[in-house]
Amino acid sequence: MPFKTILAIIQGVEDAERVSDCAGALAARHEAHLIGLHAEALPVPYTSAIGFPDAEFIQASAGVNEERSKKIEAIFRQRTAGAGITAEWRSLESFSGDSAHSGIASARSCDLVVAAQAGSDGASPDVDALLYDAGRPVLVTPHDAPCLASFRRVIVAWNGSREAARAAFDALPFILEAEGTEILVVDPPEGQAAAEAGADIAAALERHGANVTVHTEASHGAATDDIIRDRLAATGADLLVLGAYSHSWLKELLFGGVTRTVLQSMPVTAFLSR
């Protein structure tokens, strides 16, 4: 089943071209309708020395926001104009100014959300909000890798969790197009033979027509995200499918984890569901 409605979450000028290019190419491949969305922060009503709202400051801030929003819209329209797709633009305002928070309602009516990985300056939409509240899969485009509309080799990070199952089946359109998909199991459950780990999900995907293999590894104390990164490099995979925050969100926030690594520095495109 192809993706027919795609939402591009654009946080700022810095990620506008990359997200527009990736989302536009995906929409063209799947013959999908594309929605571009950006939110600006509502001006904070500072008060003057005599206690009245500073109307001049509010007006100036609103003007800057409008100018930036129009610039981002122009980039989106320019980068998607020749893609042969239907596209629309949604410009919003919110107290936070975060495009992901503002885009949750729109995301719930889409098949796929596209957002940028955090840049070196840390400016990026709050993808966590989309993962927890939108109920839709999110494709995270890395800042140092090519934008792709289809993927040759896919790795599904499998730990048997609800989140991993959701991600694997949500990603079927990509998995079915790929030359091969690997189910990667790190530290199979105790008492389970290595050959059995990941066998059921591999068989389920094969029944859809996917070409699937299973690979298991013991961590020997190494971080799971490092093992995944090494496996991506070893196989040449260009898409990672991951169940987001299958462990505690607070634990990952405090101590790190695979989802945090994906959102910040994973070198390939990542497909996340929760």
Side-chain angles (χ1 to χ4, degrees):
M1 182 180 69
F3 303 111
K4 285 301 182 182
T5 308
I6 297 174
L7 175 66
I9 297 289
I10 302 175
Q11 182 65 14
V13 175
E14 298 77 15
D15 65 346
E17 290 187 2
R18 168 165 287 274
V19 174
S20 297
D21 287 347
C22 291
L26 283 166
R29 184 168 185 84
H30 291 267
E31 299 181 344
H33 179 67
L34 178 61
I35 302 168
L37 186 147
H38 169 73
E40 287 288 339
L42 289 164
V44 178
Y46 288 100
T47 58
S48 64
I50 58 175
F52 292 102
D54 190 337
E56 185 176 342
F57 174 83
I58 294 173
Q59 185 176 5
S61 296
V64 170
N65 290 354
E66 183 179 4
E67 182 179 346
R68 181 168 48 237
S69 184
K70 287 182 177 179
K71 182 177 181 179
I72 294 170
E73 178 184 0
I75 293 172
F76 171 80
R77 294 194 181 281
Q78 178 187 19
R79 307 296 285 205
T80 59
I85 58 173
T86 61
E88 65 177 281
W89 178 255
R90 296 181 183 179
S91 181
L92 306 175
E93 287 186 313
S94 67
F95 288 108
S96 69
D98 187 279
S99 299
H101 282 276
S102 299
I104 288 172
S106 296
R108 287 175 180 158
S109 299
C110 296
D111 297 304
L112 180 68
V113 181
V114 180
Q117 190 180 66
S120 57
D121 58 357
S124 63
D126 184 2
V127 176
D128 287 342
L130 292 168
L131 292 171
Y132 272 88
D133 295 327
R136 308 307 303 138
V138 180
L139 194 73
V140 178
T141 64
H143 43 73
D144 292 324
C147 290
L148 300 173
S150 63
F151 303 93
R152 188 177 61 86
R153 291 201 60 81
V154 178
I155 284 183
V156 176
W158 181 255
N159 61 4
S161 67
R162 177 188 67 82
E163 293 83 1
R166 175 75 180 272
F169 287 103
D170 281 350
L172 264 176
F174 292 134
I175 290 173
L176 294 178
E177 282 189 340
E179 294 177 11
T181 294
E182 178 179 284
I183 307 299
L184 174 60
V185 182
V186 179
D187 292 335
E190 189 174 344
Q192 185 178 50
E196 297 175 355
D200 285 346
I201 185 64
L205 296 177
E206 285 174 342
R207 292 184 191 105
H208 283 277
N211 179 21
V212 185
T213 59
V214 178
H215 179 81
T216 62
E217 283 200 26
S219 65
H220 299 298
T224 301
D225 48 338
D226 288 336
I227 295 171
I228 291 174
R229 193 192 300 270
D230 290 344
R231 192 62 189 165
L232 289 167
T235 60
D238 44 18
L239 178 67
L240 172 65
V241 175
L242 180 74
Y245 295 116
S246 57
H247 299 294
S248 163
W249 175 88
L250 181 59
K251 180 180 177 181
E252 290 215 20
L253 180 65
L254 294 175
F255 304 110
V258 179
T259 308
R260 302 308 304 174
T261 299
V262 166
L263 296 179
Q264 296 170 4
S265 62
M266 195 60 74
V268 302
T269 303
F271 183 100
L272 303 176
S273 282
R274 190 176 192 283

